[in-house]
Amino acid sequence: MKRLLVVFMLFSVPALLFLNIWQGFRFWEAERYIARMQDEQQQLFEENKLMIVNIAVASSPSRISELARELGLEKTDQKDILRVRIPGRGNDG
């Protein structure tokens, strides 16, 4: 019985040591993965902010007016607009 206990200790101590090292390695990998994900999230956040700024600039009335002039478009008078209503299409009103 004593011999069985000694054999068990001889195999369990290295096995537990190996499991401890393996757990540390897995923790290190998880930390690296989280750091990469945080970096990617920060990068995507910055890209999103830049896109929001670009949308705000592109949709400003002065920018739209400038693009219209470049394309040769002119603002129409209200009297020149013809509105067509089709009965039964949900726009009666």
Side-chain angles (χ1 to χ4, degrees):
M1 187 67 167
K2 199 172 197 177
R3 187 171 183 200
L4 184 63
L5 184 61
V6 170
V7 170
F8 176 74
M9 292 292 265
L10 284 175
F11 287 110
S12 65
V13 170
L16 291 174
L17 182 61
F18 172 75
L19 289 174
N20 190 19
I21 291 170
W22 183 53
Q23 183 180 9
F25 176 72
R26 286 181 43 216
F27 180 77
W28 177 73
E29 279 186 327
E31 276 187 326
R32 283 185 24 171
Y33 177 75
I34 290 170
R36 281 195 315 267
M37 292 297 108
Q38 286 175 336
D39 290 343
E40 184 178 346
Q41 181 183 25
Q42 184 64 31
Q43 178 186 357
L44 291 172
F45 182 73
E46 294 298 326
E47 288 176 16
N48 191 37
K49 283 193 330 188
L50 182 61
M51 287 181 189
I52 289 171
V53 168
N54 287 336
I55 289 170
V57 168
S59 63
S60 70
S62 61
R63 176 70 179 145
I64 292 172
S65 188
E66 179 184 328
L67 287 173
R69 275 194 303 276
E70 288 175 9
L71 294 173
L73 302 175
E74 298 174 359
K75 192 168 184 174
T76 314
D77 288 336
Q78 286 288 19
K79 63 180 180 164
D80 293 335
I81 296 176
L82 176 63
R83 298 190 189 275
V84 178
R85 296 187 192 268
I86 301 174
R89 291 286 204 152
N91 58 2
D92 297 333

